[in-house]
Amino acid sequence: MASVWRRVSFCLCIQRILGGDQDTSLEPADLSNAIIIADDLSPADTVLMQHHGILAFATEYGGSTSHTAILARSLGIPAIVGLQRVHSYIQADDTVIVDGSEGIILAEPDERSLRYYQRRQSEEKRYRSALSKIKALPSLTRDGTSISLQANIEFPEDLKAVKRVGGKEIGLYRTEFLFMNRYQPPDEEEHLEAYRRVIQEAAPVTIRTLDLGADKQIVDNRQHKDSFITNPALSLRGIRLCLKEQNLFKAQLRAILRASALGEVRMMIPMVSDQSEIMQVYKIIEQLKKELRQQSIKFDPSMPIGVMVEVPAMAICSDLIAPHVDFLSIGTNDLIQYSLAADRNDQSVNYLYNPLHPAILRLIKMSLDAATQAGKPISMCGEMANDKRYVRLLLGLGLRTFSVNPESYLEVKQIINKTDMSRLAPLAVRMLDMTSQAERAELLEAINYEN
Ligand code: PEP
Ligand code: MG
């Protein structure tokens, strides 16, 4: 396995970004303060962007819940993905404005547009600073229901942003970024060091085991033309890859177990579709615990182990699974793409990627009820939990733990603090039986109405 780690060399990255051989002579310095226009960018490319001081990017392909988009948000890089024919509108050396929040790109803006965007930037600053006043408030609804608010992180460095908004709990620590842009996978010590940095400053910390595969490929396809995978999202991804490449998995599991001796750690397994996968993980963990005891290495013997509910089969069987795990977390990014058969990375089917589809709402409700019935904690860590429009709907369906990106944290808290729970449940449940999108939009408006 070691020989196939993908390393996006800077030249390759530039070549792909700029789409031509003639550009490979560019030095990294040439790209600082640049705005990148590309066909597509992988999550690994996005990580490189920050290292090289790239200001913003826009791509022709990609969806708003792709890992590339999620990473850009986490790194604070303004970005637009899935902007069709963006290449044909932008020329090299143009002055460009990238408005990531509205999905607008402007080439060669006139004076008025420049002034407008300067004003928007200062307004945004003022809004953020006003919002920071609720940092110390508890996240409590108007009628006194306590809602747990956790944060999603990709890198230990993201903790700064979490602390800035007053967050303490990590509901999703994605670990696959430890693997990107390098030849060799991280060893146990490197994993442990990354986890230690987070555990020192947050509690609990929910470390998600590797979710490589799909758009977070590590295999360099140029070296492995024979192993071309036609549908990576349905292939060896997450726990499937880990159970196949057990040495890789064991290094991470040992590090997570060791990290559990340093603070409050929970371990979460992604892409589970069958109970047998959970049982296999338990077996490996038991074996590793035995080894650690023999080596007199400390760990927490009762570290909670949970699963992500992101494959529809998991949501449908959540009543069967919940009794066997310590906690669950709903990953709507994948749950939506798999339930609606709409690739989250493909802008051409973005119009089908709909969190309000009754199938999605029913799967969410089913999972929340099953966890409650089994007395197991359940959260939501997908992008749906970050979306201001859906916070009250989710509260009405019974969600009590949100794990969100640091930049959405205070906005979600503000909505929670202004919410009256008593009227929500009957409204939210009505949404489960509505087939018309227009009617659902109307009901959502009623749910979000502030009185
Ligand atoms: C999800 O699928 O909702 C999720 C949180 O995981 P990821 O976005 O990393 O696939
Ligand atoms: Mg997922």
Side-chain angles (χ1 to χ4, degrees):
M1 188 81 191
S3 63
V4 297
W5 294 100
R6 178 175 185 221
R7 181 174 183 276
V8 179
S9 79
F10 203 75
C11 274
L12 245 182
C13 181
I14 292 171
Q15 191 175 3
R16 194 135 48 88
I17 287 169
L18 300 176
D21 291 349
Q22 71 277 16
D23 293 310
T24 53
S25 60
L26 275 175
E27 290 301 318
D30 293 326
L31 286 182
S32 65
N33 291 326
I35 290 177
I36 300 296
I37 309 297
D39 288 342
D40 198 5
L41 292 167
S42 70
D45 294 334
T46 312
V47 175
L48 283 181
M49 293 218 184
Q50 198 206 27
H51 295 326
H52 295 288
I54 284 160
L55 286 183
F57 68 85
T59 63
E60 178 123 13
Y61 302 104
S64 61
T65 62
S66 65
H67 287 105
T68 297
I70 290 173
L71 253 183
R73 281 194 282 275
S74 143
L75 294 168
I77 304 174
I80 308 173
V81 295
L83 198 58
Q84 286 176 31
R85 300 200 295 132
V86 61
H87 273 116
S88 54
Y89 300 117
I90 313 285
Q91 309 296 318
D93 295 329
D94 276 356
T95 298
V96 167
I97 292 175
V98 177
D99 177 355
S101 54
E102 298 294 329
I104 292 170
I105 188 161
L106 281 182
E108 297 296 70
D110 58 16
E111 268 303 310
R112 248 180 79 196
S113 309
L114 277 175
R115 275 203 304 278
Y116 170 78
Y117 277 100
Q118 276 156 358
R119 207 169 53 241
R120 279 265 311 269
Q121 268 180 338
S122 349
E123 279 166 11
E124 173 73 13
K125 240 187 187 162
R126 276 201 298 279
Y127 168 69
R128 293 273 156 197
S129 116
L131 203 54
S132 70
K133 299 211 170 72
I134 65 165
K135 197 170 116 172
L137 294 181
S139 81
L140 204 62
T141 63
R142 261 180 21 200
D143 40 353
T145 308
S146 174
I147 306 297
S148 164
L149 204 47
Q150 306 179 329
N152 295 350
I153 59 167
E154 333 287 328
F155 310 98
E157 295 75 28
D158 292 347
L159 272 178
K160 280 191 223 114
V162 177
K163 285 168 92 179
R164 254 200 313 275
V165 294
K168 181 81 179 131
E169 303 183 10
I170 305 300
L172 169 64
Y173 177 9
R174 290 183 172 96
T175 56
E176 35 294 340
F177 303 107
L178 276 168
F179 284 71
M180 291 186 176
N181 299 312
R182 55 191 291 166
Y183 287 117
Q184 298 292 334
D187 61 14
E188 184 180 321
E189 296 307 320
E190 203 179 328
H191 274 290
L192 183 59
E193 187 45 36
Y195 306 153
R196 188 199 310 273
R197 287 175 60 195
V198 177
I199 294 161
Q200 276 167 353
E201 314 219 24
V205 176
T206 311
I207 304 176
R208 184 178 72 180
T209 59
L210 274 174
D211 185 19
L212 290 171
D215 62 336
K216 290 174 290 187
Q217 291 293 338
I218 46 162
V219 176
D220 186 336
N221 290 325
R222 287 164 306 138
Q223 291 171 29
H224 285 76
K225 289 201 174 66
D226 296 343
S227 62
F228 180 69
I229 303 165
T230 48
N231 199 337
L234 299 181
S235 188
L236 268 188
R237 179 188 165 182
I239 191 58
R240 303 166 181 189
L241 182 74
C242 287
L243 290 173
K244 188 149 187 281
E245 300 289 342
Q246 289 205 5
N247 285 342
L248 180 84
F249 193 32
K250 283 179 184 168
Q252 177 171 45
L253 293 184
R254 270 183 64 106
I256 296 176
L257 279 167
R258 287 173 63 190
S260 71
L262 307 173
E264 204 184 327
V265 170
R266 312 191 314 159
M267 183 188 119
M268 181 156 76
I269 318 169
M271 270 303 280
V272 176
S273 63
D274 191 86
Q275 186 179 328
S276 64
E277 291 164 326
I278 305 169
M279 296 305 150
Q280 286 177 73
V281 174
Y282 287 168
K283 205 167 153 198
I284 299 172
I285 295 252
E286 280 315 308
Q287 183 200 334
L288 293 177
K289 283 182 176 173
K290 204 165 145 196
E291 270 175 39
L292 289 171
R293 273 193 205 100
Q294 279 162 0
Q295 294 163 350
S296 304
I297 297 175
K298 286 193 185 135
F299 63 91
D300 171 7
S302 49
M303 174 185 72
I305 302 176
V307 288
M308 290 198 64
V309 179
E310 54 183 352
V311 175
M314 265 301 98
I316 294 165
C317 296
S318 47
D319 59 327
L320 303 176
I321 299 297
H324 300 285
V325 296
D326 294 317
F327 66 93
L328 303 95
S329 187
I330 306 172
T332 49
N333 306 340
D334 281 314
L335 187 63
I336 296 172
Q337 81 158 342
Y338 293 128
S339 305
L340 302 180
D343 188 337
R344 64 195 267 196
N345 299 310
D346 183 348
Q347 77 293 340
S348 69
V349 286
N350 216 8
Y351 71 101
L352 289 169
Y353 192 96
N354 179 8
L356 288 188
H357 192 295
I360 304 302
L361 300 179
R362 286 172 180 217
L363 290 174
I364 291 172
K365 179 80 180 126
M366 226 183 243
S367 311
L368 293 172
D369 290 350
T372 310
Q373 185 70 29
K376 300 294 166 74
I378 183 163
S379 63
M380 180 181 285
C381 60
E383 294 295 295
M384 187 177 177
N386 288 282
D387 194 319
K388 291 189 279 183
R389 291 168 300 174
Y390 306 138
V391 172
R392 286 193 176 135
L393 171 64
L394 293 169
L395 287 169
L397 291 177
L399 184 69
R400 296 292 177 267
T401 304
F402 291 67
S403 189
V404 301
N405 306 325
E407 77 270 21
S408 307
Y409 191 96
L410 290 177
E411 285 183 313
V412 171
K413 188 197 249 188
Q414 190 176 46
I415 295 172
I416 291 169
N417 291 358
K418 287 183 177 174
T419 293
D420 180 357
M421 290 290 283
S422 58
R423 66 179 193 96
L424 283 185
L427 290 179
V429 174
R430 269 175 52 200
M431 190 84 94
L432 301 174
D433 293 327
M434 285 185 158
T435 48
S436 147
Q437 176 72 8
E439 283 178 19
R440 289 196 301 266
E442 211 174 292
L443 182 56
L444 190 65
E445 224 171 274
I447 288 173
N448 288 331
Y449 179 72
E450 305 238 320
N451 48 15

PDB file of all heavy atoms in Angstrom, residues 430-451:
ATOM      1  N   ARG A 430     -45.425  17.499  10.279  1.00  0.00           N
ATOM      2  CA  ARG A 430     -46.267  17.608   9.071  1.00  0.00           C
ATOM      3  C   ARG A 430     -45.437  17.532   7.800  1.00  0.00           C
ATOM      4  O   ARG A 430     -45.868  17.051   6.757  1.00  0.00           O
ATOM      5  CB  ARG A 430     -47.043  18.929   9.099  1.00  0.00           C
ATOM      6  CG  ARG A 430     -48.396  18.777   9.776  1.00  0.00           C
ATOM      7  CD  ARG A 430     -49.112  20.085   9.915  1.00  0.00           C
ATOM      8  NE  ARG A 430     -49.226  20.842   8.683  1.00  0.00           N
ATOM      9  CZ  ARG A 430     -49.468  22.150   8.638  1.00  0.00           C
ATOM     10  NH1 ARG A 430     -49.606  22.836   9.751  1.00  0.00           N
ATOM     11  NH2 ARG A 430     -49.568  22.781   7.491  1.00  0.00           N
ATOM     12  N   MET A 431     -44.215  18.016   7.905  1.00  0.00           N
ATOM     13  CA  MET A 431     -43.317  18.046   6.735  1.00  0.00           C
ATOM     14  C   MET A 431     -43.009  16.633   6.218  1.00  0.00           C
ATOM     15  O   MET A 431     -42.683  16.446   5.051  1.00  0.00           O
ATOM     16  CB  MET A 431     -42.019  18.748   7.168  1.00  0.00           C
ATOM     17  CG  MET A 431     -41.073  19.097   6.105  1.00  0.00           C
ATOM     18  SD  MET A 431     -41.459  20.641   5.305  1.00  0.00           S
ATOM     19  CE  MET A 431     -40.472  21.810   6.181  1.00  0.00           C
ATOM     20  N   LEU A 432     -43.098  15.631   7.089  1.00  0.00           N
ATOM     21  CA  LEU A 432     -42.752  14.258   6.706  1.00  0.00           C
ATOM     22  C   LEU A 432     -43.708  13.680   5.660  1.00  0.00           C
ATOM     23  O   LEU A 432     -43.370  12.717   4.983  1.00  0.00           O
ATOM     24  CB  LEU A 432     -42.772  13.332   7.937  1.00  0.00           C
ATOM     25  CG  LEU A 432     -41.837  13.683   9.096  1.00  0.00           C
ATOM     26  CD1 LEU A 432     -42.078  12.761  10.277  1.00  0.00           C
ATOM     27  CD2 LEU A 432     -40.377  13.582   8.656  1.00  0.00           C
ATOM     28  N   ASP A 433     -44.888  14.262   5.576  1.00  0.00           N
ATOM     29  CA  ASP A 433     -45.891  13.707   4.650  1.00  0.00           C
ATOM     30  C   ASP A 433     -46.160  14.613   3.457  1.00  0.00           C
ATOM     31  O   ASP A 433     -47.151  14.439   2.759  1.00  0.00           O
ATOM     32  CB  ASP A 433     -47.224  13.482   5.410  1.00  0.00           C
ATOM     33  CG  ASP A 433     -47.077  12.393   6.457  1.00  0.00           C
ATOM     34  OD1 ASP A 433     -46.300  11.452   6.202  1.00  0.00           O
ATOM     35  OD2 ASP A 433     -47.709  12.496   7.521  1.00  0.00           O
ATOM     36  N   MET A 434     -45.314  15.601   3.246  1.00  0.00           N
ATOM     37  CA  MET A 434     -45.589  16.548   2.158  1.00  0.00           C
ATOM     38  C   MET A 434     -44.767  16.224   0.926  1.00  0.00           C
ATOM     39  O   MET A 434     -43.541  16.251   0.979  1.00  0.00           O
ATOM     40  CB  MET A 434     -45.227  17.963   2.617  1.00  0.00           C
ATOM     41  CG  MET A 434     -46.228  18.536   3.579  1.00  0.00           C
ATOM     42  SD  MET A 434     -45.761  20.235   3.925  1.00  0.00           S
ATOM     43  CE  MET A 434     -47.320  20.872   4.472  1.00  0.00           C
ATOM     44  N   THR A 435     -45.426  15.967  -0.172  1.00  0.00           N
ATOM     45  CA  THR A 435     -44.671  15.635  -1.380  1.00  0.00           C
ATOM     46  C   THR A 435     -44.379  16.877  -2.231  1.00  0.00           C
ATOM     47  O   THR A 435     -43.488  16.855  -3.072  1.00  0.00           O
ATOM     48  CB  THR A 435     -45.443  14.606  -2.241  1.00  0.00           C
ATOM     49  OG1 THR A 435     -46.776  15.071  -2.352  1.00  0.00           O
ATOM     50  CG2 THR A 435     -45.400  13.228  -1.633  1.00  0.00           C
ATOM     51  N   SER A 436     -45.135  17.942  -1.994  1.00  0.00           N
ATOM     52  CA  SER A 436     -44.906  19.133  -2.816  1.00  0.00           C
ATOM     53  C   SER A 436     -43.834  20.041  -2.219  1.00  0.00           C
ATOM     54  O   SER A 436     -43.925  20.454  -1.057  1.00  0.00           O
ATOM     55  CB  SER A 436     -46.233  19.898  -2.968  1.00  0.00           C
ATOM     56  OG  SER A 436     -45.992  21.279  -3.054  1.00  0.00           O
ATOM     57  N   GLN A 437     -42.835  20.345  -3.042  1.00  0.00           N
ATOM     58  CA  GLN A 437     -41.726  21.191  -2.564  1.00  0.00           C
ATOM     59  C   GLN A 437     -42.244  22.582  -2.201  1.00  0.00           C
ATOM     60  O   GLN A 437     -41.793  23.190  -1.237  1.00  0.00           O
ATOM     61  CB  GLN A 437     -40.631  21.264  -3.645  1.00  0.00           C
ATOM     62  CG  GLN A 437     -39.461  22.176  -3.337  1.00  0.00           C
ATOM     63  CD  GLN A 437     -38.520  21.636  -2.238  1.00  0.00           C
ATOM     64  OE1 GLN A 437     -38.640  20.511  -1.782  1.00  0.00           O
ATOM     65  NE2 GLN A 437     -37.591  22.480  -1.782  1.00  0.00           N
ATOM     66  N   ALA A 438     -43.222  23.066  -2.964  1.00  0.00           N
ATOM     67  CA  ALA A 438     -43.757  24.405  -2.691  1.00  0.00           C
ATOM     68  C   ALA A 438     -44.435  24.426  -1.325  1.00  0.00           C
ATOM     69  O   ALA A 438     -44.252  25.363  -0.534  1.00  0.00           O
ATOM     70  CB  ALA A 438     -44.743  24.792  -3.780  1.00  0.00           C
ATOM     71  N   GLU A 439     -45.188  23.381  -1.017  1.00  0.00           N
ATOM     72  CA  GLU A 439     -45.861  23.322   0.300  1.00  0.00           C
ATOM     73  C   GLU A 439     -44.841  23.207   1.421  1.00  0.00           C
ATOM     74  O   GLU A 439     -44.997  23.785   2.490  1.00  0.00           O
ATOM     75  CB  GLU A 439     -46.820  22.126   0.353  1.00  0.00           C
ATOM     76  CG  GLU A 439     -48.100  22.370  -0.403  1.00  0.00           C
ATOM     77  CD  GLU A 439     -49.032  21.155  -0.383  1.00  0.00           C
ATOM     78  OE1 GLU A 439     -48.868  20.281   0.490  1.00  0.00           O
ATOM     79  OE2 GLU A 439     -49.890  21.098  -1.275  1.00  0.00           O
ATOM     80  N   ARG A 440     -43.774  22.450   1.157  1.00  0.00           N
ATOM     81  CA  ARG A 440     -42.743  22.304   2.199  1.00  0.00           C
ATOM     82  C   ARG A 440     -42.063  23.646   2.450  1.00  0.00           C
ATOM     83  O   ARG A 440     -41.779  24.012   3.582  1.00  0.00           O
ATOM     84  CB  ARG A 440     -41.717  21.237   1.794  1.00  0.00           C
ATOM     85  CG  ARG A 440     -42.258  19.831   1.846  1.00  0.00           C
ATOM     86  CD  ARG A 440     -41.141  18.810   1.814  1.00  0.00           C
ATOM     87  NE  ARG A 440     -40.308  18.896   0.630  1.00  0.00           N
ATOM     88  CZ  ARG A 440     -40.485  18.174  -0.474  1.00  0.00           C
ATOM     89  NH1 ARG A 440     -41.484  17.317  -0.538  1.00  0.00           N
ATOM     90  NH2 ARG A 440     -39.686  18.300  -1.505  1.00  0.00           N
ATOM     91  N   ALA A 441     -41.820  24.389   1.354  1.00  0.00           N
ATOM     92  CA  ALA A 441     -41.167  25.698   1.502  1.00  0.00           C
ATOM     93  C   ALA A 441     -42.047  26.622   2.340  1.00  0.00           C
ATOM     94  O   ALA A 441     -41.561  27.371   3.198  1.00  0.00           O
ATOM     95  CB  ALA A 441     -40.883  26.292   0.136  1.00  0.00           C
ATOM     96  N   GLU A 442     -43.360  26.550   2.092  1.00  0.00           N
ATOM     97  CA  GLU A 442     -44.309  27.393   2.838  1.00  0.00           C
ATOM     98  C   GLU A 442     -44.300  27.016   4.328  1.00  0.00           C
ATOM     99  O   GLU A 442     -44.258  27.878   5.203  1.00  0.00           O
ATOM    100  CB  GLU A 442     -45.695  27.156   2.253  1.00  0.00           C
ATOM    101  CG  GLU A 442     -46.607  28.369   2.328  1.00  0.00           C
ATOM    102  CD  GLU A 442     -47.894  28.076   1.591  1.00  0.00           C
ATOM    103  OE1 GLU A 442     -47.854  27.951   0.341  1.00  0.00           O
ATOM    104  OE2 GLU A 442     -48.912  27.935   2.272  1.00  0.00           O
ATOM    105  N   LEU A 443     -44.303  25.709   4.582  1.00  0.00           N
ATOM    106  CA  LEU A 443     -44.303  25.248   5.976  1.00  0.00           C
ATOM    107  C   LEU A 443     -42.990  25.632   6.674  1.00  0.00           C
ATOM    108  O   LEU A 443     -42.984  26.022   7.842  1.00  0.00           O
ATOM    109  CB  LEU A 443     -44.521  23.726   6.023  1.00  0.00           C
ATOM    110  CG  LEU A 443     -44.590  23.094   7.417  1.00  0.00           C
ATOM    111  CD1 LEU A 443     -45.679  23.744   8.276  1.00  0.00           C
ATOM    112  CD2 LEU A 443     -44.871  21.593   7.324  1.00  0.00           C
ATOM    113  N   LEU A 444     -41.902  25.555   5.915  1.00  0.00           N
ATOM    114  CA  LEU A 444     -40.606  25.925   6.502  1.00  0.00           C
ATOM    115  C   LEU A 444     -40.625  27.392   6.929  1.00  0.00           C
ATOM    116  O   LEU A 444     -40.100  27.765   7.981  1.00  0.00           O
ATOM    117  CB  LEU A 444     -39.475  25.678   5.491  1.00  0.00           C
ATOM    118  CG  LEU A 444     -38.060  25.796   6.051  1.00  0.00           C
ATOM    119  CD1 LEU A 444     -37.777  24.710   7.092  1.00  0.00           C
ATOM    120  CD2 LEU A 444     -37.011  25.715   4.948  1.00  0.00           C
ATOM    121  N   GLU A 445     -41.267  28.187   6.110  1.00  0.00           N
ATOM    122  CA  GLU A 445     -41.387  29.611   6.448  1.00  0.00           C
ATOM    123  C   GLU A 445     -42.157  29.786   7.755  1.00  0.00           C
ATOM    124  O   GLU A 445     -41.771  30.569   8.635  1.00  0.00           O
ATOM    125  CB  GLU A 445     -42.117  30.341   5.323  1.00  0.00           C
ATOM    126  CG  GLU A 445     -41.459  31.657   4.961  1.00  0.00           C
ATOM    127  CD  GLU A 445     -42.093  32.223   3.705  1.00  0.00           C
ATOM    128  OE1 GLU A 445     -41.665  31.860   2.595  1.00  0.00           O
ATOM    129  OE2 GLU A 445     -43.013  33.021   3.883  1.00  0.00           O
ATOM    130  N   ALA A 446     -43.232  29.009   7.896  1.00  0.00           N
ATOM    131  CA  ALA A 446     -44.034  29.086   9.140  1.00  0.00           C
ATOM    132  C   ALA A 446     -43.199  28.618  10.335  1.00  0.00           C
ATOM    133  O   ALA A 446     -43.253  29.222  11.416  1.00  0.00           O
ATOM    134  CB  ALA A 446     -45.282  28.223   9.003  1.00  0.00           C
ATOM    135  N   ILE A 447     -42.410  27.583  10.121  1.00  0.00           N
ATOM    136  CA  ILE A 447     -41.560  27.073  11.220  1.00  0.00           C
ATOM    137  C   ILE A 447     -40.545  28.148  11.638  1.00  0.00           C
ATOM    138  O   ILE A 447     -40.248  28.320  12.816  1.00  0.00           O
ATOM    139  CB  ILE A 447     -40.850  25.773  10.765  1.00  0.00           C
ATOM    140  CG1 ILE A 447     -41.870  24.623  10.689  1.00  0.00           C
ATOM    141  CG2 ILE A 447     -39.691  25.399  11.679  1.00  0.00           C
ATOM    142  CD1 ILE A 447     -41.341  23.338  10.093  1.00  0.00           C
ATOM    143  N   ASN A 448     -40.026  28.860  10.653  1.00  0.00           N
ATOM    144  CA  ASN A 448     -38.978  29.853  10.950  1.00  0.00           C
ATOM    145  C   ASN A 448     -39.526  31.228  11.317  1.00  0.00           C
ATOM    146  O   ASN A 448     -38.753  32.131  11.627  1.00  0.00           O
ATOM    147  CB  ASN A 448     -38.029  29.980   9.747  1.00  0.00           C
ATOM    148  CG  ASN A 448     -37.154  28.741   9.629  1.00  0.00           C
ATOM    149  OD1 ASN A 448     -36.851  28.103  10.616  1.00  0.00           O
ATOM    150  ND2 ASN A 448     -36.767  28.396   8.407  1.00  0.00           N
ATOM    151  N   TYR A 449     -40.836  31.342  11.280  1.00  0.00           N
ATOM    152  CA  TYR A 449     -41.460  32.644  11.587  1.00  0.00           C
ATOM    153  C   TYR A 449     -41.131  33.067  13.018  1.00  0.00           C
ATOM    154  O   TYR A 449     -41.237  32.269  13.952  1.00  0.00           O
ATOM    155  CB  TYR A 449     -42.982  32.528  11.396  1.00  0.00           C
ATOM    156  CG  TYR A 449     -43.721  33.803  11.702  1.00  0.00           C
ATOM    157  CD1 TYR A 449     -43.643  34.892  10.837  1.00  0.00           C
ATOM    158  CD2 TYR A 449     -44.485  33.909  12.859  1.00  0.00           C
ATOM    159  CE1 TYR A 449     -44.319  36.072  11.130  1.00  0.00           C
ATOM    160  CE2 TYR A 449     -45.164  35.090  13.150  1.00  0.00           C
ATOM    161  CZ  TYR A 449     -45.067  36.169  12.286  1.00  0.00           C
ATOM    162  OH  TYR A 449     -45.728  37.318  12.575  1.00  0.00           O
ATOM    163  N   GLU A 450     -40.698  34.284  13.189  1.00  0.00           N
ATOM    164  CA  GLU A 450     -40.336  34.775  14.535  1.00  0.00           C
ATOM    165  C   GLU A 450     -41.506  35.555  15.105  1.00  0.00           C
ATOM    166  O   GLU A 450     -41.964  36.512  14.491  1.00  0.00           O
ATOM    167  CB  GLU A 450     -39.131  35.698  14.462  1.00  0.00           C
ATOM    168  CG  GLU A 450     -37.959  35.064  13.788  1.00  0.00           C
ATOM    169  CD  GLU A 450     -36.735  35.026  14.668  1.00  0.00           C
ATOM    170  OE1 GLU A 450     -36.493  36.009  15.360  1.00  0.00           O
ATOM    171  OE2 GLU A 450     -36.026  33.988  14.618  1.00  0.00           O
ATOM    172  N   ASN A 451     -41.978  35.102  16.278  1.00  0.00           N
ATOM    173  CA  ASN A 451     -43.073  35.903  16.860  1.00  0.00           C
ATOM    174  C   ASN A 451     -42.649  36.504  18.190  1.00  0.00           C
ATOM    175  O   ASN A 451     -41.554  36.344  18.637  1.00  0.00           O
ATOM    176  CB  ASN A 451     -44.352  35.078  17.033  1.00  0.00           C
ATOM    177  CG  ASN A 451     -44.057  33.743  17.707  1.00  0.00           C
ATOM    178  OD1 ASN A 451     -42.984  33.576  18.277  1.00  0.00           O
ATOM    179  ND2 ASN A 451     -44.972  32.810  17.630  1.00  0.00           N
TER     180      ASN A 451
END
